[in-house]
């Protein structure tokens, strides 16, 4: 287990667990042991999606020196209800102790192990534009078990330049880079026009996990996992909720006037948007 897969506040105890040690700790804490293989099967996708949120909250607690946490407190920190949190954690074999709660360090270990964060994951970023640069410079990856092994681009003006600690390599080297660094995860930060071709090459090189920032849906064969990050969609969803809240306000209230941006009515705004569309 590599130390950079854990936060500094939780790594010391969590790294000391081997399988037997983890079982002894679980028994001592009155927690139900995890399944023997350490990766409980049948965890719902919705639960998997929430585990990183719990882990982030646990890191924050560990950094503040908190050793135990009640389910209600952890749920509040993660933004879910406590019943859902307890059910999610039960899939990991963790039930806490009535009246005491969960051991923070041990729960960090359980969640990290389930997510596969007890080892380093080599990552390649394809696309060294503004987004690719921002991702390469983000320090949170290393502390969570992800190593940016290489950056690739097709622009000869960028190839050879330094971004963070990396020298940008030409995209023609993609297959060689994947093989050399044993890349597990590919990040696509290219324009939409080249994203599918990059995806196809990553898959052909053996990469089966892809994080896609390009504004299109990638076509991949069975057995390849793709997570799409589309900031424009998230902003549109926020705009929907903002509009609903604005529309619910009285017309004479601050920020009112029928929920339109800038205080204009919906009747004024809609033709303008239709013309622009």
């Amino acid at each position: 287990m590599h130390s950079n897969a854990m936060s500094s506040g939780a790594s010391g105890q969590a790294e000391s667990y081997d399988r037997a040690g983890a079982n002894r700790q679980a028994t001592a804490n009155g927690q139900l042991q995890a399944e023997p293989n350490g990766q409980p099967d049948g965890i719902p996708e919705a639960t998997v999606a929430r585990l990183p949120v719990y882990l982030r909250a646990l890191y924050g607690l560990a950094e503040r020196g908190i050793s135990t946490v009640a389910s209600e407190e952890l749920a509040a920190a993660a933004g879910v209800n406590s019943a859902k949190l307890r059910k999610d954690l039960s899939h990991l074999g963790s039930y806490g102790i009535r009246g005491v709660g969960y051991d923070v360090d041990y729960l960090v270990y359980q969640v990290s192990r389930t997510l596969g964060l007890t080892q380093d994951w080599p990552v390649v970023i394809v696309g060294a534009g503004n987004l690719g640069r921002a991702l390469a410079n983000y320090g949170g990856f290393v502390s969570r078990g992800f190593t940016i092994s290489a950056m690739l681009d097709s622009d000869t003006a960028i190839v050879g330049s330094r971004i963070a600690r990396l020298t940008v390599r030409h995209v023609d080297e993609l297959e060689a880079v994947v093989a050399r660094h044993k890349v597990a995860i590919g990040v696509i930060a290219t324009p939409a026009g080249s994203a599918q071709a990059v995806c196809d090459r990553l898959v052909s090189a053996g990469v089966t996990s892809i994080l896609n920032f390009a504004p299109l849906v990638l076509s991949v064969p069975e057995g390849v996992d793709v997570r799409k990050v589309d900031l424009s969609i998230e902003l549109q969803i926020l705009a929907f909720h903002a509009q609903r809240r604005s529309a619910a306000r009285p017309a004479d209230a601050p920020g009112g006037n029928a929920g339109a941006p800038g205080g204009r009515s919906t009747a004024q705004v809609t033709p303008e948007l239709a013309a622009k569309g």
Side-chain angles (χ1 to χ4, degrees):
M1 184 183 305
H2 296 283
S3 61
N4 62 3
M6 302 287 180
S7 71
S8 58
S11 61
Q13 182 175 343
E15 288 175 16
S16 68
Y17 288 115
D18 55 14
R19 185 176 299 168
N23 288 340
R24 288 194 299 271
Q25 180 68 23
T27 302
N29 286 347
Q31 297 171 321
L32 187 68
Q33 294 180 11
E35 292 185 21
N37 64 4
Q39 287 284 12
D41 294 328
I43 299 178
E45 282 295 324
T47 295
V48 173
R50 288 188 289 268
L51 290 181
V53 180
Y54 300 152
L55 189 58
R56 180 176 59 191
L58 288 164
Y59 283 142
L61 294 169
E63 288 166 1
R64 288 156 49 197
I66 297 174
S67 60
T68 58
V69 61
S71 60
E72 291 80 7
E73 295 171 325
L74 181 55
V80 301
N81 66 63
S82 58
K84 180 178 293 183
L85 177 135
R86 286 192 294 269
K87 184 175 181 180
D88 286 343
L89 296 183
S90 72
H91 290 293
L92 280 59
S94 185
Y95 292 87
I97 307 172
R98 184 178 298 276
V100 176
Y102 295 92
D103 180 281
V104 171
D105 282 345
Y106 181 63
L107 198 51
V108 165
Y109 166 76
Q110 281 188 303
V111 176
S112 297
R113 180 185 58 181
T114 301
L115 289 173
L117 302 181
T118 54
Q119 67 183 72
D120 287 330
W121 293 99
V123 176
V124 62
I125 298 175
V126 184
N130 291 334
L131 177 57
R133 290 170 183 267
L135 293 170
N137 280 291
Y138 175 58
F141 290 133
V142 173
S143 64
R144 297 298 186 262
F146 301 95
T147 301
I148 307 301
S149 298
M151 285 196 71
L152 306 173
D153 203 280
S154 60
D155 188 343
T156 55
I158 297 176
V159 173
S161 63
R162 296 281 293 182
I163 297 177
R165 59 176 182 80
L166 302 167
T167 298
V168 179
R169 309 180 75 87
H170 198 279
V171 73
D172 288 348
E173 300 182 50
L174 185 149
E175 289 78 8
V177 165
V178 169
R180 182 182 310 125
H181 296 284
K182 296 180 173 57
V183 170
I185 300 171
V187 177
I188 298 177
T190 67
S194 56
Q196 184 63 58
V198 168
C199 176
D200 292 343
R201 290 181 62 186
L202 286 169
V203 171
S204 295
V207 176
T208 57
S209 297
I210 295 172
L211 182 61
N212 176 34
F213 285 91
L216 85 163
V217 176
L218 297 173
S219 176
V220 297
E222 187 176 352
V224 175
D225 295 312
V226 176
R227 298 287 297 181
K228 179 172 173 55
V229 180
D230 193 323
L231 300 180
S232 65
I233 288 177
E234 300 302 324
L235 287 171
Q236 289 166 20
I237 293 171
L238 288 173
F240 167 81
H241 291 295
Q243 176 181 258
R244 293 289 291 267
R245 285 193 299 271
S246 297
R249 298 191 189 112
D252 58 350
N257 204 354
R264 293 175 291 170
S265 69
T266 303
Q268 292 173 309
V269 174
T270 302
E272 297 174 17
L273 294 178
K276 292 179 182 177

